[in-house]
Amino acid sequence: MMMKKYPNAATIFAGALILGFVLTSGAFAQTMKETVRSISSAGQSKIADFHSYANPHQIVVRHVDLNWNVLFDRKVLEGTATLTVERVAGVSDNAPLMLDTRDLKIEKAEASTDGGKSYKNAEFSVGANDKILGAPLTVQLPPNVNRVRISYATAPTASGLQWLAPEQTAGRKEPFMFSQAQAIHARSFIPVQDSPAVRVTYSARVRTPKNLLAVMSAEGNEQNSRQRDGDYQFKMTRAIPPYLIAIAVGDLQFKSLGARTGVYTEPAMIEKSAFELADTEKMVAATEKLFGAYRWGRYDLLVLPPSFPFGGMENPMLTFATPTILAGDKSLVSLVAHELAHSWSGNLVTNATWRDFWLNEGFTTYLERRIIEAVYGVPRREMEATLGRRGLEEELAEMAMPDQILHVDLKGRDPDEGFTGVPYEKGALFLRHLEETVGREKFDKFVRGYFDAHAFQSITTETFVDYLNVNLLASNQNIARADVEEWIEKSGLPKNAPQPKSDAFVKVETEARNYLSGKAAAKNVRAANWTTQEWLHFLGSLSSDLNAQRMTELDRAFNLTTRGNAEIAFQWLLLSIKNDYSAADARLEEFLTTIGRRKFVKPLFDELVKTPNGRKRANEIYAKARSGYHPITQATVDDILKRGK
Ligand code: BES
Ligand code: ZN
């Protein structure tokens, strides 16, 4: 029997205990059965992933081999997942394998002790379904097992997949399907140990309708795109957490952007996408110069249909992106910088649990700004950092104190609740604070060392703090440990939080003040050469006490209702709801029925339901929009409309 030592999952889980207990939390009245794994290994404090039923401390999955048929008519992925497993040293021979699933139809489980040459049926059972976690799948295995093959099918409502009708695509002729696994949705299309502390390599064979192309977060995309025959193979040879396994199928075309970079999207979007993303190769080079080699081979992007629920998703080798970044002027490419940065912070060094999410997103937002600075200059970086900080402050003003903590407690809650400005912007401000305190040269060296020391590992906040103490604080008297503790473990923004400075924005603020106070008429607002960022700052500085006439004036002067830039349109529509500007009604409906990006959809519905009339409109619009939204966006809006009913 294998008694291998695992560098990641098993180090974390070694000597683990399983404690089952029942817990209730404020947000979720229902009780949740939890599997808590806690350990103390050298230098590491206790860790527990509250969002997985899996038992990698007993049997660990090292590789996932997928064999899928993509069935558009039934909205089903059907096939097998063959898991390469290893029993951890010292673990009882009869410990079963526990996997995460959600709404999967499990047909059969089989086990092999000869590396997959022959299989025997294995007994399995699916536990009760938890609303957040899904259901544990328990498979009984022979002592010297090394492969487990699960035959299964996904549900048409799988939370991690969206099946689009042809009308929801740019080409309007072919259907489309894509996955979104982060945070805990991989389990809705793969029976797997769905914890970011577990790292797997993967391979896949995917059969689709002959005229469509499948792409994955793996090697093989370019090769497959040259031979579109409905039968595609992929491999990811670097160990990744399961939330980074991704697939999309549609009428996709490829266009090269540079030596290592390119874009996949529907033919109707390919030229626009290639134009917008033209700086991608430059960004990769800039990031390497700052933070060390790009370790994933190629970096491609996939531009999805507008129902994609996020701005971007850092699927390795193939970032998934919303088409709402295609502004026509490259002004929204900080999203590319962000997802690219995850190739270091997130994909190379990964949060071990979702309470450590700030390690992924805070570092990435910090890196994103450094990339923007390197490619577009300091003024642009400062504008974006200012927008980030202002957004954070607005959010903090309404956020429960415990949720303002970087190292947030998500026990008993949906990890999506941790998706706020805190891990992103507070995390980035913390790192910028460290940079400003010790100096850039020292800090950059520290960050490079941090990536090298933890490459292809999943780590907790405690591991980061230990590393910080030894490698930065020990040689720098000007940062106190108490300071670090305040940043990571306390609510709010510390007093010493960096304050980004933008001269351009100071001018914008003057214009906004003059307009608000009535000193300047709309046509006198000096906005002639404003960039997207300046417009966003201006609109964000206006308030809810502009009357219809003042909104009309602004609109006449600057054509805001008809703007194609999705970020500007969003800010304007938000302002229009707040100020009862009914001339934007049709545009609002068009926006909400064509774009499913949650960052836009959620605040607009939140704002609408604040008045009885708005709530009525929200319901009317949602009746038309809902079927086009991704399950994640649907769940978010369902919730908003249910509240206060
Ligand atoms: N990894 C996130 C998206 C995510 C986080 C999906 C948590 C599911 C759960 C991605 O890198 C991200 O942060 N996207 C942002 C864009 C970015 C420019 C801030 C988004 O989608 O808005
Ligand atoms: Zn991110």
Side-chain angles (χ1 to χ4, degrees):
M1 194 180 102
M2 289 286 296
M3 302 265 175
K4 215 168 173 177
K5 197 161 175 301
Y6 317 107
N8 35 59
T11 330
I12 288 167
F13 292 119
L17 294 164
I18 300 189
L19 308 164
F21 62 87
V22 171
L23 154 150
T24 43
S25 104
F28 296 94
Q30 120 230 50
T31 57
M32 269 180 46
K33 217 166 112 229
E34 291 184 291
T35 308
V36 176
R37 297 178 237 85
S38 56
I39 53 121
S40 29
S41 70
Q44 204 164 32
S45 56
K46 298 193 167 171
I47 85 134
D49 185 350
F50 296 106
H51 299 108
S52 170
Y53 287 112
N55 60 339
H57 59 288
Q58 296 183 313
I59 301 182
V60 66
V61 177
R62 308 302 308 272
H63 181 83
V64 178
D65 181 45
L66 301 163
N67 197 328
W68 282 338
N69 286 312
V70 182
L71 306 175
F72 278 99
D73 49 339
R74 288 166 44 211
K75 300 187 177 173
V76 159
L77 281 184
E78 188 185 67
T80 58
T82 304
L83 313 176
T84 302
V85 299
E86 293 172 1
R87 220 177 262 280
V88 173
V91 168
S92 147
D93 275 357
N94 51 25
L97 172 67
M98 308 256 308
L99 300 173
D100 292 293
T101 71
R102 190 204 309 278
D103 301 331
L104 294 182
K105 200 162 96 201
I106 308 293
E107 304 285 355
K108 189 162 61 170
E110 299 160 290
S112 170
T113 56
D114 57 12
K117 284 193 206 74
S118 64
Y119 282 91
K120 284 205 178 96
N121 277 343
E123 239 177 79
F124 70 91
S125 64
V126 179
N129 187 61
D130 178 89
K131 208 173 153 243
I132 297 167
L133 301 180
L137 166 63
T138 307
V139 189
Q140 306 298 335
L141 299 174
N144 49 349
V145 60
N146 46 36
R147 295 282 188 286
V148 177
R149 184 164 69 194
I150 316 276
S151 303
Y152 72 102
T154 61
T157 52
S159 63
L161 302 177
Q162 191 182 12
W163 299 85
L164 301 178
E167 310 78 67
Q168 292 176 273
T169 67
R172 307 188 139 259
K173 283 212 181 72
E174 303 294 344
F176 200 105
M177 185 277 286
F178 65 87
S179 69
Q180 165 58 44
Q182 198 183 13
I184 55 170
H185 301 287
R187 63 191 66 177
S188 77
F189 59 99
I190 311 172
V192 71
Q193 295 184 321
D194 196 7
S195 166
V198 175
R199 301 183 84 97
V200 296
T201 52
Y202 82 87
S203 46
R205 176 161 186 189
V206 179
R207 291 178 186 80
T208 71
K210 276 199 167 40
N211 56 331
L212 301 185
L213 178 66
V215 290
M216 290 191 83
S217 54
E219 276 165 57
N221 293 320
E222 236 192 321
Q223 161 95 25
N224 289 326
S225 76
R226 281 194 294 265
Q227 215 176 93
R228 287 173 59 137
D229 58 359
D231 187 352
Y232 306 111
Q233 300 204 31
F234 306 88
K235 64 174 193 213
M236 168 46 74
T237 57
R238 298 162 180 94
I240 56 166
Y243 76 83
L244 293 176
I245 299 177
I247 181 169
V249 180
D251 181 13
L252 295 171
Q253 198 181 325
F254 174 74
K255 186 162 174 148
S256 173
L257 297 169
R260 285 182 287 179
T261 53
V263 59
Y264 293 84
T265 191
E266 290 184 68
M269 305 292 284
I270 197 80
E271 291 307 327
K272 195 170 187 212
S273 299
F275 171 83
E276 206 82 27
L277 303 171
D279 290 341
T280 304
E281 189 79 30
K282 251 192 254 172
M283 288 187 183
V284 178
T287 320
E288 286 193 309
K289 207 167 149 212
L290 289 167
F291 301 112
Y294 178 75
R295 307 195 201 201
W296 303 87
R298 291 193 56 84
Y299 179 76
D300 294 314
L301 291 118
L302 168 68
V303 177
L304 288 141
S307 70
F308 185 58
F310 292 100
M313 179 62 213
E314 66 272 26
N315 298 131
M317 307 187 71
L318 186 66
T319 282
F320 283 24
T322 169
T324 62
I325 58 164
L326 307 179
D329 59 4
K330 303 185 181 139
S331 65
L332 300 177
V333 293
S334 60
L335 184 130
V336 178
H338 181 97
E339 305 312 336
L340 169 66
H342 273 304
S343 309
W344 286 259
S345 45
N347 300 1
L348 191 60
V349 183
T350 308
N351 50 215
T353 78
W354 297 113
R355 78 172 304 189
D356 310 302
F357 183 54
W358 78 274
L359 285 179
N360 274 16
E361 298 300 344
F363 262 97
T364 295
T365 304
Y366 173 79
L367 262 59
E368 168 198 331
R369 303 261 154 78
R370 294 292 304 275
I371 299 169
I372 291 299
E373 176 193 326
V375 180
Y376 303 104
V378 173
R380 168 82 167 266
R381 178 199 80 190
E382 286 298 85
M383 286 196 255
E384 295 191 345
T386 305
L387 290 171
R389 176 162 176 159
R390 190 174 66 186
L392 174 63
E393 283 168 2
E394 286 169 6
E395 251 186 290
L396 288 177
E398 312 206 331
M399 194 184 286
M401 295 296 264
D403 291 345
Q404 302 184 7
I405 297 171
L406 283 180
H407 193 209
V408 63
D409 184 4
L410 291 171
K411 186 153 79 175
R413 306 169 69 187
D414 191 322
D416 279 0
E417 289 189 40
F419 186 76
T420 71
V422 171
Y424 288 79
E425 296 294 342
K426 185 177 172 182
L429 285 169
F430 170 42
L431 297 168
R432 178 165 166 167
H433 166 66
L434 293 177
E435 181 208 314
E436 288 178 353
T437 311
V438 306
R440 179 170 280 192
E441 203 181 316
K442 248 189 189 163
F443 189 66
D444 285 2
K445 199 166 155 245
F446 165 78
V447 175
R448 275 193 298 269
Y450 167 73
F451 291 144
D452 280 341
H454 304 100
F456 299 106
Q457 292 176 36
S458 301
I459 67 165
T460 61
T461 298
E462 289 85 350
T463 300
F464 166 74
V465 171
D466 287 348
Y467 187 84
L468 180 73
N469 281 335
V470 173
N471 295 283
L472 199 65
L473 303 200
S475 58
N476 280 279
Q477 260 45 58
N478 39 359
I479 315 173
R481 288 184 189 213
D483 185 18
V484 170
E485 154 121 16
E486 184 190 359
W487 271 100
I488 296 179
E489 302 290 351
K490 300 270 158 58
S491 303
L493 259 189
K495 289 211 175 47
N496 60 17
Q499 190 75 63
K501 276 196 184 46
S502 161
D503 295 340
F505 275 13
V506 172
K507 291 189 186 137
V508 169
E509 285 153 25
T510 307
E511 297 301 313
R513 234 178 297 115
N514 289 344
Y515 185 67
L516 275 175
S517 68
K519 235 197 241 169
K523 62 179 179 3
N524 296 329
V525 173
R526 286 169 294 180
N529 294 311
W530 276 357
T531 60
T532 295
Q533 285 68 28
E534 286 161 300
W535 270 110
L536 295 178
H537 193 57
F538 179 74
L539 294 173
S541 304
L542 300 182
S543 59
S544 49
D545 34 51
L546 290 169
N547 58 30
Q549 193 207 323
R550 306 226 64 208
M551 289 291 289
T552 310
E553 275 176 42
L554 263 185
D555 206 2
R556 286 231 177 96
F558 302 110
N559 296 317
L560 291 158
T561 300
T562 54
R563 288 285 172 119
N565 182 308
E567 295 278 354
I568 294 177
F570 163 71
Q571 287 296 339
W572 176 248
L573 291 171
L574 201 58
L575 205 61
S576 297
I577 302 170
K578 288 182 183 167
N579 290 289
D580 249 332
Y581 180 58
S582 54
D585 278 5
R587 176 75 172 115
L588 176 66
E589 178 165 330
E590 181 206 22
F591 191 92
L592 286 173
T593 50
T594 50
I595 296 173
R597 184 175 174 187
R598 199 170 61 164
K599 171 184 147 184
F600 296 148
V601 169
K602 181 179 184 297
L604 291 171
F605 276 105
D606 271 333
E607 200 55 48
L608 277 171
V609 300
K610 285 182 182 166
T611 65
N613 199 26
R615 176 176 285 274
K616 202 171 138 258
R617 291 209 58 224
N619 281 309
E620 287 162 10
I621 294 173
Y622 195 42
K624 297 180 197 164
R626 189 179 190 280
S627 67
Y629 286 171
H630 185 282
I632 292 176
T633 306
Q634 286 180 345
T636 304
V637 182
D638 286 353
D639 230 47
I640 295 170
L641 294 179
K642 242 182 274 152
R643 245 187 289 133
K645 222 187 194 167

